[in-house]
Amino acid sequence: MKLMNVILSILASGLFQGEVRVVQHAGACTWTLEAAAGNRSRAVPLGGGSREELFDRVCVDLGCGRVYNVTETVHTPGADGNNGTGTCLTGCSYRGRRLVNCTETAGSNCSVVSKVVCGHQMVRLAGGPHRCGGRVELWSAGGGGWGTVCDDRWDLADAGVVCGQLGCGYALDATGQGGAFPPAAAGPVHLDELMCAGAESSLWTCPVARHDDGGGRHHDCGHKEDAGVVCSEMRAVRLSGGADRCSGKVELHLNGTWGTVCDTCWDRELAAMVCSMLGCGGEPETFAHFEPPLAHNADAPLWYYMCAVQHTVLWQCTEFINMETLCTSSKAAGLVCKGSQGFPTISTPNVTSVTVLMNPGNTTGSAWGDFLFPLSPELIGCLVLSLLLLLLLTMNSIVCCRRSRRSRALVLQQRSEQQQKSPVVDNDYRESISLVKVTAGPDGSPGERRQHDGLLLPLLLRCQ
């Protein structure tokens, strides 16, 4: 057995001495161990002992604080290009991004390190609707775990470092005291008065005036001054136009813009998902057939979602934006979650009653009892103008009737005066039948026609 250990030690010195190196991955503060094997690389099995201390030393050397998390897998001899002897490296030292002076020992208590995450790599946004928007929190093993950042000197350059580190695009807003995100209830404040240029890999690498890393340097901030950030990739959902936050038109936020969801294929499952995301229960009361139909926001993005059974939030679904073929002739999706007050007023097309989408048990109002309350100032103005116009038409008709009566009275008066001036003769009805008397000429031919004015005037007066 002793001879076998000596042989394994010699093999280790030949195979691993000076060849096990630290390889950084996504972000400067995430790394793993690899050993060169010709033109390939192989995983490195490590035994128990002082591995945690070794990992901390690597993270500190990388300028990334201390270890936050280690991902390991059980070592299987011969798997993934590993040596098939079932041996591990122990007692290694660290120098110049390499493991040196390792000893290879036999045993089955080995593991392969697949990823080490250092503390300064860890940043998160809490208290917001999405992982790309919220209160900034950093992790520090030596400073009490998760802590916040003070909003003194907090600006878009500082916030942009966080968005870039999280893969959330660029910063749209840098919030602070009194902002959109609630402050932390407890915990340390790690950094204060940051002065980032914007190109740093993490906030820990930015110049800072004050910070609290457990080394005696402290800040002068409370949690009411916690810094926050809204990144361009922040996803948020809301319901607008309803009587409360659990009812209204479905709107989504991305890249600083609120868009609407097409109601094409908008079903109960999608509606229940949104209700759950908003903390409004998991059961929709109404999700279709709104009157009048809900319109899309002008010049805003149109969203279409395809979700599977296992999805619990919209951000896990397949999404399409501004796809005309998917949103052709669509309306904006709406939603009333169970227990919500619904929409304030939604009138039917004939405007005979006002239907309020509320909980079961509420009934529609009468035509006149509820109709007067939702009148807008513009509609009231139109009604007033219509009444004034009707009044003017009525007055005009009255004036015209009075003028007509006066004209008739004047004609009758003129006829009476004329009769008093001319002698009274008996009417010759045979003569009055013909208005024009025809006289014969000397040769018996028809002569000139003469109009009997005296007979025409009484006839005209009779027609009055």
Side-chain angles (χ1 to χ4, degrees), residues 79-100:
D80 299 328
N82 296 322
N83 60 321
T85 61
T87 60
C88 304
L89 296 181
T90 60
C92 298
S93 301
Y94 173 74
R95 183 173 64 247
R97 308 289 173 91
R98 296 176 182 274
L99 299 188
V100 296

Side-chain angles (χ1 to χ4, degrees), residues 363-381:
T363 58
T364 59
S366 63
W368 292 105
D370 294 335
F371 178 73
L372 295 178
F373 292 98
L375 293 179
S376 64
E378 294 81 1
L379 185 56
I380 293 175

